């Protein structure tokens, strides 16, 4: 007979909300965190418990990845919800927010419901749809933000499409604030239309059209001003330059509704990685200079950067095996997010609980997910157990996702997920 | 052993010619010396040789080109190679075949030399990773056009007897020019002082990374120079707001008799072709005694023969 309760003992508990780490144990019942003990082996009647001895490995809320291309609907040949769920659960991600720029674009409540139904059927992790801000991402007519939100959209984004008309942008933001909807935007402008990598000495030497930094700053400042003016909840998804960091910082001083994120690629890599036209390093936002990377990284321990995302964007070989200018943007990231992020902790840039906060508690707060992302009594048991030190090498051929376009090929990684629990149910287990 | 003897014994170990940036000064000097040899031999009635007999050379052009393609074709034929021309603007590309598919197909035909012109930077580099033969970059996007730089150097040496210490002005659309990049790298490698002349919109932001002086005023930029290299201005630049009109461009950046008078009295005028007369260069200047544009074409065949020979035997 299966035991009703789950006692996870002798763990290094990561409490991202309070930024604390302590040895303790935790009781799960009916999918909910029932009790937290600050002892490795609590005095508790264990007759009805399945017991897991964590051997002092780290137990954290599962990761919430806020910007993921999940392929459905329309791009099932490169990614599916089922595949991504399998990749995510083995990589410590218990929730993903999926991008609306699919085919069709997620601009109707029925499409949000489709993704939710599909997830219930095919996914063991939480799939959270993001809906479009404007219909067909054309920047003209706003979507039914109220109905979409009611259907389950956690955020609203026009993804890589700029809303050119400032009047429309202002109205959309104002209307979104009416429903307390979360805007999730990328700083894109038509200044970067022809560029394919960061504009710098390297792009010039390679003869590649560059993406100027101000393209990002201009888009960011424009939208932040309107967001601040309309008092809408605004999240800037992936910033990549030191200037953008300063801009966000300034606006965060004025408003508590503004948040910001960064892609793990921009924390780990820089433009030099493009080297001799390596298309796997063609990503959006582009890999920037080492100065930009280190500036953001050195400020990671502050609260300006709220979240870290994998920016998972699968691309088939055929769209990457092209001359650099013609190759598609993007890199898969689901399976490397945790280990690549942990390296920032191992290298001393950030504390463990703070790092996990940016990938669990903060995303949950931004996406208004009240039940997950935290190690608190009464929250859903979406948990991961991580061996922080276990080494492995990223081998593209061994990735679970259909596409293998990783930026971390052959990189030495540190940190393996031993156990993944969603809703109190163990869905990935390397212990037993 | 003194330096001269050392150089004369030097044999470049080159598999491909993808850009000047990957060459050492010895490589460049070696190829120039070989080119000079071919130029002398071609001067009289050129004879066919059998240096490349039994070798197959494929000219793979994804962009239309008359001059470069025929120059490579002639160079290959004079060396005795079997030359195949493939212009892929209409055929395979239109059918959705990728560059790599094309490369794999051609590779199966076992060519020895693959000459590639492509509209994307890095295309020849990509091809070189996928084929077993030598790849020569005949122009890739805005990146490099190495054989043009070699033939330009050859032309300069022919007229000026040297490159070291010469003042060279490169004028026009630097931003989009592969000719400019290859020439800047090669000429500064050989010790020339380089002035860059262009309106700001056609100047790459990080041009200072090269050892060049930039000038927005053309008269200043060509003052006392020994060599003026003009670049072709593509017509589409007018449409995307780089410059307002051909008329205004010619007024400030077109080479006419007046601007030419600021250069050294014996300055030579070069242009990689094809020229837009009345846009970047005045007809009278293009055809006057200082113009060496026709010599460049002649040097092109010799330079390409030298490159083909070097790679085929490397």
């Amino acid at each position: 007979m299966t035991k009703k309760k789950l006692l996870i003992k002798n763990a290094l508990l990561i409490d991202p909300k309070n930024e604390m780490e302590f040895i303790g144990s935790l009781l799960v019942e009916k999918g909910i965190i029932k009790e937290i003990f600050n002892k490795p082996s609590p005095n508790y009647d264990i007759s009805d418990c399945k017991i897991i001895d964590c051997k002092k490995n780290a137990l954290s809320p599962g990761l919430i990845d806020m910007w993921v291309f999940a392929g459905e609907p329309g791009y099932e040949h490169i990614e599916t919800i089922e595949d991504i769920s399998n990749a995510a659960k083995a990589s410590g991600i218990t929730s993903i927010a999926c991008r609306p720029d699919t085919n069709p674009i997620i601009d109707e409540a029925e499409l949000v419901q489709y993704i939710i139904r599909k997830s219930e059927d095919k996914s063991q992790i939480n799939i959270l749809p993001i809906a479009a801000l404007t219909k067909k991402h054309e920047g003209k007519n706003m979507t039914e933000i109220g109905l979409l939100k009611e259907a389950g959209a956690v955020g609203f984004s026009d993804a890589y499409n700029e809303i050119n008309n400032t009047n429309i942008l202002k109205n959309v933001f104002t209307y979104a604030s009416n429903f307390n909807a979360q805007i999730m935007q990328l700083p894109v402008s038509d200044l970067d239309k022809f560029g394919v990598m960061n504009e710098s000495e390297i792009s010039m030497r390679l003869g590649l059209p560059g993406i100027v930094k101000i393209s990002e700053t201009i888009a960011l400042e424009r939208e932040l001003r309107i967001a601040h003016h309309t008092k809408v909840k605004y999240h800037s998804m992936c910033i990549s330059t030191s200037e953008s960091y300063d801009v966000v910082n300034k606006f965060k001083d004025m408003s508590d509704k503004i948040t910001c994120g960064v892609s793990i690629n921009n924390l780990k890599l820089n433009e030099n990685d493009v080297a001799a036209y390596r298309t796997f390093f063609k990503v959006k936002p582009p890999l920037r200079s080492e100065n930009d990377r280190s500036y953001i990284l050195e400020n990671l321990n502050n609260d300006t950067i709220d979240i870290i995302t994998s920016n998972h964007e699968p691309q088939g070989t055929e769209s990457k095996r092209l001359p650099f200018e013609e190759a598609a943007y993007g890199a898969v990231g689901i399976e490397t997010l945790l280990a690549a992020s942990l390296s920032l902790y191992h290298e001393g840039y950030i504390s463990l609980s703070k790092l996990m906060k940016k990938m669990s508690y903060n995303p949950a707060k931004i996406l208004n997910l009240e039940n997950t992302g935290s190690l608190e009594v009464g929250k859903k048991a979406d948990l991961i157990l991580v061996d922080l030190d276990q080494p492995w090498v990223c081998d593209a051929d061994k990735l679970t996702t259909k596409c293998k376009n990783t930026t971390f090929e052959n990189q030495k990684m540190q940190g393996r997920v031993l156990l993944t629990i969603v809703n109190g149910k163990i869905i990935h287990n390397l212990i037993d | 052993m003194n330096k001269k003897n050392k150089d004369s014994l030097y044999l470049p170990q080159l598999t491909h010619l993808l850009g000047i940036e990957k060459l050492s000064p010895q490589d460049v000097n070696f190829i120039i010396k070989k080119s000079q040899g071919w130029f002398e031999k071609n001067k009289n009635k050129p004879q066919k040789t059998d240096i490349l007999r039994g070798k197959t050379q494929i000219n793979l052009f994804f962009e239309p080109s008359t001059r470069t393609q025929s120059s490579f074709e002639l160079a290959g034929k004079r060396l005795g190679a079997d030359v195949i021309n493939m212009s892929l603007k209409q055929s395979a590309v239109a059918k959705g075949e990728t560059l790599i598919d094309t490369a794999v197909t051609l590779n199966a035909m076992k060519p020895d030399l693959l000459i590639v012109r492509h509209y994307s930077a890095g295309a020849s580099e990509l091809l070189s990773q996928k084929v077993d033969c030598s790849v020569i970059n005949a122009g890739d996007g805005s990146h490099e056009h190495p054989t043009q730089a070699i033939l330009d150097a050859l032309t300069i040496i022919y007229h000026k007897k040297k490159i070291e210490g010469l003042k060279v002005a490169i004028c026009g659309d630097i931003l989009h020019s592969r000719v400019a990049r290859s020439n800047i790298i090669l000429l500064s490698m050989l010790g020339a002082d380089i002035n860059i002349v262009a309106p700001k919109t056609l100047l790459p932001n990080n041009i200072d990374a090269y050892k060049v002086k930039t000038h927005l005023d053309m008269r200043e930029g060509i003052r006392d120079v020994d060599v003026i290299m003009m670049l072709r201005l593509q017509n589409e630049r007018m449409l995307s707001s780089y410059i307002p009109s051909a008329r205004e461009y010619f007024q400030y950046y077109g080479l006419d008799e007046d601007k030419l008078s600021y250069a050294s009295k014996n300055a030579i005028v070069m242009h990689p072709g094809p020229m837009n007369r009345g846009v970047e260069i005045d007809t009278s200047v293009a055809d006057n005694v200082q113009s060496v544009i026709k010599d460049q074409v002649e040097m092109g065949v010799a330079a390409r023969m030298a490159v083909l020979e070097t790679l085929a035997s490397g």
Side-chain angles (χ1 to χ4, degrees):
Chain A
M1 202 184 95
T2 48
K3 307 268 170 97
K4 275 186 183 157
K5 301 175 189 170
L6 180 64
L7 182 67
I8 306 170
K9 58 176 234 178
N10 196 22
L12 174 68
L13 296 180
I14 315 285
D15 172 2
K17 184 183 179 186
N18 299 305
E19 292 181 29
M20 277 166 48
E21 297 148 33
F22 58 95
I23 297 287
S25 41
L26 182 146
L27 183 75
V28 175
E29 190 180 350
K30 289 180 185 160
I32 302 290
I33 301 174
K34 190 82 180 170
E35 228 173 317
I36 297 174
F37 312 91
N38 55 9
K39 281 184 190 161
S41 299
N43 303 320
Y44 192 81
D45 173 15
I46 55 168
S47 58
D48 199 20
C49 292
K50 176 183 164 66
I51 295 170
I52 293 170
D53 183 351
C54 299
K55 297 180 180 147
K56 300 207 164 43
N57 282 309
L59 186 77
S60 156
L63 307 190
I64 301 169
D65 195 348
M66 271 179 68
W67 192 242
V68 171
F69 190 77
E72 295 194 48
Y75 294 94
E76 288 83 357
H77 59 295
I78 56 170
E79 192 65 276
T80 63
I81 286 172
E82 187 172 6
D83 283 350
I84 217 164
S85 159
N86 288 332
K89 71 178 183 185
S91 316
I93 296 168
T94 52
S95 304
I96 60 163
C98 48
R99 273 166 51 179
D101 48 337
T102 46
N103 185 17
I105 285 163
I106 309 304
D107 57 2
E108 304 254 7
E110 290 72 15
L111 289 162
V112 171
Q113 284 157 354
Y114 167 80
I115 294 172
I116 291 173
R117 275 199 313 275
K118 193 81 195 252
S119 313
E120 283 164 358
D121 203 22
K122 299 284 182 192
S123 170
Q124 292 180 288
I125 63 158
N126 308 306
I127 305 283
L128 313 161
I130 300 168
L133 259 180
T134 68
K135 283 180 186 155
K136 295 192 165 66
H137 279 166
E138 286 175 345
K140 288 178 190 155
N141 303 305
M142 72 173 92
T143 53
E144 295 165 322
I145 293 174
L147 293 175
L148 285 161
K149 197 178 172 206
E150 214 172 298
V154 291
F156 294 83
S157 177
D158 264 13
Y160 297 92
N161 306 282
E162 186 195 11
I163 299 174
N164 295 95
N165 184 315
T166 313
N167 204 32
I168 291 174
L169 187 67
K170 178 172 150 274
N171 282 348
V172 174
F173 280 15
T174 307
Y175 189 80
S177 73
N178 195 64
F179 289 91
N180 202 23
Q182 176 68 49
I183 307 278
M184 302 166 74
Q185 285 283 75
L186 289 147
V188 287
S189 82
D190 55 10
L191 259 183
D192 61 23
K193 208 159 75 187
F194 301 107
V196 294
M197 72 172 290
N198 184 43
E199 188 192 75
S200 68
E201 181 185 334
I202 296 172
S203 68
M204 186 205 55
R205 284 182 187 274
L206 292 173
L208 291 173
I211 300 176
V212 279
K213 287 185 191 181
I214 55 163
S215 138
E216 181 172 308
T217 335
I218 287 170
L220 190 63
E221 272 197 306
R222 172 177 179 258
E223 294 209 351
L224 283 175
R225 269 192 201 285
I226 295 172
H228 178 54
H229 176 78
T230 57
K231 300 189 172 61
V232 72
K233 283 172 70 186
Y234 183 94
H235 178 73
S236 181
M237 200 64 65
C238 301
I239 64 160
S240 69
T241 71
S242 58
E243 289 88 345
S244 294
Y245 178 91
D246 291 340
V247 167
V248 171
N249 210 15
K250 187 179 81 184
F251 276 91
K252 284 187 101 169
D253 281 345
M254 300 189 280
S255 163
D256 58 359
K257 291 187 168 176
I258 284 164
T259 53
C260 131
V262 64
S263 157
I264 185 66
N265 288 324
N266 292 97
L267 290 174
K268 290 294 294 173
L269 310 162
N270 67 28
E271 58 182 352
N272 296 310
D273 290 296
V274 172
Y277 306 99
R278 292 158 75 192
T279 57
F280 277 27
F281 295 86
K282 183 177 177 182
V283 289
K284 239 179 193 174
L287 301 176
R288 298 287 187 182
S289 70
E290 177 54 20
N291 282 346
D292 289 302
R293 185 190 81 94
S294 56
Y295 188 85
I296 296 175
L297 184 56
E298 271 151 28
N299 283 296
L300 197 61
N301 219 6
N302 306 329
D303 291 323
T304 301
I305 304 283
D306 296 281
I307 68 125
I308 300 171
T309 172
S310 71
N311 197 9
H312 177 77
E313 177 150 23
Q315 293 291 357
T317 323
E318 70 287 351
S319 45
K320 282 290 188 183
R321 286 173 74 211
L322 290 171
F324 198 88
E325 284 169 73
E326 294 154 53
Y329 287 97
V332 292
I334 288 282
E335 287 159 271
T336 43
L337 174 65
L338 179 63
S341 302
L342 278 175
S343 73
L344 307 175
Y345 151 71
H346 287 302
E347 288 159 18
Y349 287 103
I350 188 167
S351 77
L352 185 57
S353 55
K354 191 128 194 172
L355 177 72
M356 298 315 260
K357 185 181 188 178
K358 292 180 197 287
M359 296 189 288
S360 59
Y361 181 76
N362 284 350
K365 211 169 139 196
I366 292 165
L367 298 175
N368 203 21
L369 311 171
E370 283 165 6
N371 293 324
T372 189
S374 180
L375 217 62
E376 283 177 276
V377 172
K379 299 275 180 185
K380 255 173 42 168
D382 289 350
L383 304 165
I384 55 170
L385 183 66
V386 186
D387 178 342
L388 298 171
D389 299 318
Q390 198 181 123
W392 58 287
V393 174
C394 178
D395 178 350
D397 291 334
K398 288 188 181 150
L399 293 177
T400 309
T401 47
K402 225 174 267 181
C403 297
K404 315 291 181 194
N405 54 313
T406 174
T407 49
F408 295 104
E409 170 79 329
N410 296 329
Q411 294 278 311
K412 286 180 184 149
M413 305 298 229
Q414 209 177 343
R416 265 291 196 205
V417 178
L418 304 174
L419 201 63
T420 303
I421 300 170
V422 171
N423 269 327
K425 198 175 145 201
I426 298 175
I427 58 170
H428 169 77
N429 190 347
L430 295 184
I431 296 183
D432 295 344
Chain B
M1 200 188 292
N2 67 31
K3 190 177 173 294
K4 212 163 199 169
N5 283 337
K6 248 188 198 167
D7 277 353
S8 66
L9 288 177
Y10 178 79
L11 265 179
Q13 299 298 309
L14 298 173
T15 315
H16 310 292
L17 179 63
L18 303 176
I20 301 293
E21 195 147 42
K22 301 196 175 198
L23 299 181
S24 69
Q26 283 122 308
D27 293 335
V28 169
N29 284 324
F30 179 90
I31 295 170
I32 287 176
K33 204 162 214 173
K34 266 221 167 325
S35 308
Q36 286 165 328
W38 284 118
F39 176 72
E40 289 303 321
K41 283 181 201 147
N42 288 346
K43 246 183 182 171
N44 309 313
K45 181 136 179 63
Q47 299 293 315
K48 247 187 134 162
T49 69
D50 57 2
I51 292 173
L52 296 186
R53 193 168 63 193
K55 306 242 179 198
T56 307
Q57 170 189 337
I58 299 180
N59 294 340
L60 184 59
F61 278 62
F62 291 87
E63 253 184 3
S65 152
T66 34
R67 162 176 332 230
T68 307
Q69 188 169 348
S70 50
S71 178
F72 268 112
E73 184 177 356
L74 201 54
K77 283 182 172 164
R78 282 192 185 160
L79 291 172
D82 298 317
V83 183
I84 301 166
N85 284 314
M86 302 188 71
S87 294
L88 286 181
K89 211 166 155 33
Q90 289 89 20
S91 64
V93 181
K95 289 179 199 145
E97 189 173 272
T98 67
L99 178 63
I100 291 181
D101 292 334
T102 309
V104 169
T105 308
L106 291 179
N107 199 42
M109 299 177 192
K110 306 217 176 346
D112 302 282
L113 294 149
L114 193 55
I115 322 296
V116 188
R117 151 94 39 117
H118 198 277
Y119 41 81
S120 288
S124 50
E125 171 111 29
L126 180 63
L127 268 182
S128 73
Q129 295 160 9
K130 308 288 172 189
V131 297
D132 304 317
C133 63
S134 290
V135 173
I136 297 170
N137 179 7
D140 62 329
S142 305
H143 179 223
E144 279 221 48
H145 190 356
T147 56
Q148 178 73 42
I150 292 165
L151 75 89
D152 285 342
L154 207 56
T155 310
I156 295 171
I157 294 169
Y158 180 71
H159 287 278
K160 298 287 176 189
K161 311 292 172 237
K162 61 168 186 175
I163 285 180
E164 196 171 356
L166 286 185
K167 290 178 81 175
V168 181
I170 304 177
C171 313
D173 184 357
I174 310 287
L175 181 65
H176 300 96
S177 176
R178 51 193 174 218
V179 175
R181 277 176 185 72
S182 288
N183 265 314
I184 290 169
I185 302 166
L186 191 148
L187 293 173
S188 53
M189 187 193 284
L190 298 185
D193 287 330
I194 302 171
N195 285 355
I196 295 294
V197 179
K200 272 191 172 179
T201 44
L202 297 175
L203 202 58
N205 255 343
N206 297 281
I207 191 77
D208 298 345
Y210 293 126
K211 229 182 85 199
V212 296
K213 281 192 213 98
T214 55
H215 292 270
L216 304 177
D217 183 302
M218 190 164 183
R219 288 177 179 84
E220 282 306 312
I222 62 178
R223 189 184 292 277
D224 299 330
V225 300
D226 305 294
V227 178
I228 301 171
M229 283 187 171
M230 298 305 299
L231 299 171
R232 177 178 164 77
L233 184 82
Q234 311 261 314
N235 283 327
E236 11 348 328
R237 304 299 170 224
M238 259 81 85
L239 302 173
S240 35
S241 267
Y242 287 99
I243 52 162
S245 66
R247 182 173 75 161
E248 177 152 324
Y249 186 78
F250 183 73
Q251 170 80 22
Y252 296 106
Y253 295 98
L255 186 64
D256 55 14
E257 299 281 0
D258 174 58
K259 295 196 194 86
L260 181 58
S261 70
Y262 283 77
S264 154
K265 212 171 76 194
N266 300 315
I268 55 170
V269 174
M270 303 170 72
H271 192 296
M275 284 183 278
N276 287 313
R277 289 167 189 262
V279 180
E280 71 260 0
I281 192 163
D282 196 27
T283 287
S284 64
V285 173
D287 300 333
N288 81 0
V289 289
Q290 286 172 274
S291 164
V292 298
I293 297 168
K294 270 183 237 136
D295 295 342
Q296 286 174 274
V297 179
E298 201 180 341
M299 299 289 173
V301 179
R304 282 158 188 141
M305 286 174 83
V307 168
L308 291 172
E309 187 191 0
T310 306
L311 291 193
S313 59

